[in-house]
Amino acid sequence: MRKTLKIALLASVSLAAPALADEPASPIIVTGHGLDDGPATPAYDVEIIGRDTITSSASGRIEDVLSSVAGFSQFRRSDSRSANPSAQGANLRALGGNAASRTLVLLDGVPVANPFFGYIPYSAIAPERIGSVRVTRGGGSGAFGSGAVAGTIEMTSAGPDQIGLLQGEALVNDRGETQASLTAAPKLGSGFLVASVQWDRGDGFWTTPKDQRVAASARAAYETLSGSLRAVAPISGDVEVQATVLAYGDSRSLRFKGADSTSEGQQASLRVVGRGQWQFDVLGYVQAQDFSNVVISSTSYRKTLDQHRTPTTAIGGKAELRPPVGGGHVLRLGTDVKLATGRLLEMPYSATTGLATAVRRAGGDQSDLGFYLQDDWTIGKVVLTAGGRADRWTIRNGFYRSVSPTSGAVTQDSAYADRSGWEGNARGGIVWKAAEAVSLRAAAYTGMRLPTLNELYRPYVVFPVTTNANPNLKPERLRGYEAGIDVTPITPLTLSLTAFDNRLKNAIANVTVATNTQQRQNVDAIRAKGIEASAALDLGTVRLDGSLAWTDSKVKAEGLALDGMRPAQVPRLSATATLAWIPREGWRFAATVRHTGAQFEDDREQYVLPAATTLDAYVQLPVAGPVSLVLRAENLTDETIVTRNQDGSMDLGVPRTIWAGMKVML
């Protein structure tokens, strides 16, 4: 893994070198970002997470940062130290119910979800590299709009102005686990380079409750190494090139000895942004990822499944043009494409004999070609926006093959019919500056998500429950609308309130079909409606940020037992609040309270995950020159967080954890 990381970083230097070789004679400012937001961005329910919040989470994990937006969720409550990677999707607005992401997650414009599974490689995204995060709840068309049925999370990398020349951090916690990172961001003429590496490791905590542990039980050990190299340089006075390489490797052990999983990946992108009269944004990327997983029986403690390899590749890109149409209009015309292929090799084992019972291979190919346009029109105190998108999708070469490991005899050989189609979607909205301190907004939208290759072709086991794939799954379709108000009653205080109603047609859910057996199926719909509220009070040295989401989410599945029930793993209420005190530059004292309401483990609402309220803390104190003392506390009150409940067999989330270390900023 380290060799792969080294090769990827050297490749990035080669890619960026031509752009850095010929510097212009006069200084030019580059941003490292894409084009500026359109004037109608406030028509949607948007929350911005700033760099101070990003770099001061108690865990140092990006999923912890995203949890500061109420309503954000993964399939399970575990973070990237103690969850199976394939369960770590990203969702908003109570449109969960399975492990795939219904929220589109972008890093500098590149979709980061694993192309086979749809999970987000959170451990690869070091918060120290991120400058800001914009979370837009609600689906709709637009650049890379396919898949954004619950919303979009856009992460933007930090540059030298935010990082400084050098920033490093090293911490250890009360269990002896370590976390270290180093980021350098030198300015090179009119451009800059950002090189970063992060390494986390530890024996982990007990996810199994004490009264359920056996001799085969194990702590949630983990080790993660990730590195990135990013070069930004001008081509001319208003055109810049951005080249990025990211490589990572992650290994974890969950619940039992030998229940090990690994994920690794490499990603490279090249982006050219023009900010002249004819603005443009052209981006291309390539991704290669792999995943493995071993399942251990909770009765015999033998290996029952070895998901040996899941190599996945994707190539894609986008091109957007903003012609100077004038008249208060910002017109966006664009196209994007993504081609993905994934294959699975796995071997089930007998829990009695320990011998392999089959060798199975499965996989397929997908593509999505989209065309979109959007126009934002400013008329005095009113901004109107409307956009449309057309997607041509294909699902091809799907197969499932099983052979005997001893005789080689074929026991199943299925080839699935190729499918394709066109999907049209649209969104529109309005923002009205009703008064100096009051803005009113409304929006309506549709969206689409293809089933992942994982949902189509890969069964999985969370012992003793087996969830089977379904090669006949249809694309999900979203229809939603919302209305909101943003108020600034006094300069330091901002309040926001949004009411929404979303309907996800053909929603893919894990449906119980027999004892300890589920299958992925399209249900009629998931209907989610609710309110989202946020508040921000900035008094300079004191800042308070709060967010709340309340949703009424129900499955519509006529004739099935889950009809009218709440989707699995979806709480009705979630809330978060952070109070920070910054008495002077370089100092920070912060406390974060999070509440997640009760939710159900399964589609039939048999097994409850109780509500949990946690308290985190963060302290940064300068001690000498560029060196600061950092103290962090996760789950300070040691709340019991149940992350899985299968008929009383439970997994737990992070217990009280205290970190201490040093931070250097030059």
Side-chain angles (χ1 to χ4, degrees):
M1 189 250 306
R2 292 179 175 82
K3 183 178 179 182
T4 301
L5 176 60
K6 188 180 202 179
I7 293 171
L9 295 180
L10 289 174
S12 178
V13 173
S14 295
L15 185 63
L20 296 171
D22 298 318
E23 294 181 359
S26 57
I28 298 172
I29 303 299
V30 298
T31 69
H33 303 161
L35 296 176
D36 293 339
D37 300 333
T41 299
Y44 303 95
D45 187 5
V46 175
E47 285 199 41
I48 304 294
I49 307 175
R51 180 164 173 81
D52 286 346
T53 301
I54 294 170
T55 57
S56 60
S57 74
S59 68
R61 300 273 163 167
I62 193 67
E63 63 271 27
D64 186 28
V65 173
L66 296 175
S67 295
S68 65
V69 176
F72 168 82
S73 67
Q74 303 174 81
F75 183 59
R76 299 192 185 278
R77 297 170 175 179
S78 309
D79 68 13
S80 55
R81 295 165 295 189
S82 59
N84 189 287
S86 64
Q88 292 199 279
N91 281 298
L92 296 163
R93 289 206 162 158
L95 290 175
N98 68 14
S101 295
R102 290 190 169 112
T103 298
L104 181 65
V105 181
L106 305 173
L107 175 59
D108 297 319
V110 178
V112 300
N114 179 282
F116 187 93
F117 293 92
Y119 70 77
I120 308 302
Y122 291 108
S123 60
I125 306 170
E128 290 78 11
R129 303 170 193 155
I130 306 301
S132 66
V133 178
R134 180 172 66 190
V135 179
T136 304
R137 298 178 176 109
S141 63
F144 288 113
S146 177
V149 293
T152 306
I153 297 173
E154 300 167 89
M155 294 180 283
T156 302
S157 291
D161 293 341
Q162 295 170 300
I163 297 170
L165 177 62
L166 185 72
Q167 181 171 306
E169 193 172 44
L171 299 102
V172 63
N173 70 19
D174 53 350
R175 292 188 296 273
E177 298 160 7
T178 57
Q179 186 175 91
S181 64
L182 182 65
T183 303
K187 294 183 179 180
L188 303 175
S190 299
F192 62 84
L193 190 70
V194 179
S196 176
V197 63
Q198 177 165 321
W199 179 37
D200 302 342
R201 66 169 304 278
D203 291 334
F205 57 88
W206 289 104
T207 59
T208 307
K210 189 172 183 179
D211 61 354
Q212 296 183 9
R213 293 175 202 164
V214 295
S217 296
R219 294 174 180 267
Y222 65 94
E223 182 173 13
T224 299
L225 177 64
S226 71
S228 69
L229 189 59
R230 189 164 189 263
V232 178
I235 296 178
S236 66
D238 50 25
V239 179
E240 68 182 64
V241 61
Q242 306 165 13
T244 305
V245 165
L246 169 67
Y248 68 92
D250 181 295
S251 60
R252 309 177 198 178
S253 297
L254 302 176
R255 192 171 176 86
F256 296 116
K257 296 172 184 177
D260 303 326
S261 66
T262 66
S263 61
E264 63 178 41
Q266 303 83 41
Q267 174 177 299
S269 66
L270 185 65
R271 188 179 196 179
V272 181
V273 180
R275 295 183 172 83
Q277 189 175 14
W278 286 76
Q279 296 185 7
F280 61 87
D281 188 344
V282 180
L283 169 67
Y285 65 88
V286 59
Q287 297 168 325
Q289 300 186 35
D290 202 355
F291 170 80
S292 69
N293 183 57
V294 174
V295 179
I296 301 294
S297 167
S298 62
T299 54
S300 69
Y301 311 115
R302 292 178 179 267
K303 178 167 61 176
T304 58
L305 182 64
D306 182 355
Q307 295 166 327
H308 191 65
R309 291 194 64 203
T310 318
T312 308
T313 58
I315 59 173
K318 78 165 186 178
E320 178 175 307
L321 179 67
R322 298 185 186 182
V325 293
H329 291 270
V330 175
L331 180 64
R332 304 173 64 180
L333 306 169
T335 182
D336 57 71
V337 64
K338 184 174 183 179
L339 311 172
T341 182
R343 301 291 184 265
L344 165 71
L345 169 61
E346 68 177 18
M347 291 157 285
Y349 286 76
S350 168
T352 303
T353 67
L355 299 176
T357 58
V359 177
R360 302 191 296 219
R361 289 178 170 85
D365 305 320
Q366 285 184 327
S367 69
D368 189 296
L369 173 63
F371 302 92
Y372 65 90
L373 63 86
Q374 179 174 310
D375 183 36
D376 297 349
W377 185 16
T378 303
I379 312 171
K381 295 183 177 181
V382 175
V383 180
L384 301 172
T385 181
R389 179 181 176 93
D391 285 275
R392 172 65 176 179
W393 59 268
T394 68
I395 299 174
R396 298 171 294 109
N397 303 321
F399 73 95
Y400 185 92
R401 181 181 175 86
S402 178
V403 302
S404 167
T406 53
S407 67
V410 177
T411 56
Q412 181 177 346
D413 191 0
S414 300
Y416 305 111
D418 293 349
R419 292 184 284 156
S420 62
W422 282 94
E423 296 283 350
N425 290 290
R427 70 175 179 177
I430 181 172
V431 183
W432 173 38
K433 189 74 171 177
E436 186 64 27
V438 179
S439 291
L440 303 176
R441 51 186 165 79
Y445 37 77
T446 64
M448 181 271 289
R449 183 184 77 89
L450 285 177
T452 64
L453 296 171
N454 175 54
E455 291 169 320
L456 290 165
Y457 307 124
R458 171 190 170 260
Y460 74 92
V461 179
V462 178
F463 198 87
V465 178
T466 297
T467 301
N468 291 317
N470 185 347
N472 300 311
L473 291 171
K474 304 173 185 176
E476 296 179 333
R477 293 294 309 273
L478 175 86
R479 184 183 70 240
Y481 52 89
E482 63 188 59
I485 180 171
D486 302 306
V487 181
T488 308
I490 54 176
T491 302
L493 179 63
T494 302
L495 304 173
S496 178
L497 181 66
T498 303
F500 68 91
D501 190 335
N502 287 180
R503 182 182 179 89
L504 187 66
K505 185 179 178 182
N506 293 327
I508 298 170
N510 298 334
V511 178
T512 298
V513 294
T515 302
N516 291 333
T517 304
Q518 295 181 326
Q519 184 188 37
R520 300 182 182 99
Q521 295 183 8
N522 290 110
V523 299
D524 296 336
I526 293 176
R527 173 81 179 276
K529 53 186 177 180
I531 58 172
E532 295 156 344
S534 64
L537 177 64
D538 189 350
L539 299 175
T541 59
V542 176
R543 181 175 178 90
L544 175 64
D545 293 279
S547 182
L548 178 146
W550 178 88
T551 55
D552 179 20
S553 184
K554 286 185 171 58
V555 176
K556 306 295 182 182
E558 187 174 352
L560 296 178
L562 71 165
D563 184 40
M565 295 185 177
R566 191 169 184 81
Q569 306 291 333
V570 171
R572 187 179 299 274
L573 175 69
S574 61
T576 178
T578 298
L579 177 64
W581 177 42
I582 308 98
R584 62 185 68 179
E585 186 176 357
W587 296 63
R588 185 177 181 87
F589 300 85
T592 299
V593 177
R594 290 192 181 91
H595 175 79
T596 302
Q599 56 199 77
F600 294 101
E601 170 73 27
D602 61 316
D603 60 314
R604 296 190 177 184
E605 298 186 353
Q606 292 179 304
Y607 310 121
V608 176
L609 305 176
T613 302
T614 60
L615 173 64
D616 294 344
Y618 180 91
V619 175
Q620 180 176 313
L621 299 169
V623 292
V627 180
S628 297
L629 171 67
V630 174
L631 302 172
R632 303 188 324 210
E634 302 179 65
N635 191 7
L636 197 55
T637 59
D638 205 22
E639 175 86 335
T640 298
I641 306 167
V642 180
T643 62
R644 184 188 67 89
N645 177 9
Q646 185 65 45
D647 196 18
S649 173
M650 295 185 181
D651 287 339
L652 304 179
V654 63
R656 179 170 49 233
T657 304
I658 309 298
W659 294 84
M662 307 301 290
K663 185 174 187 178
V664 178
M665 296 180 290
L666 297 176

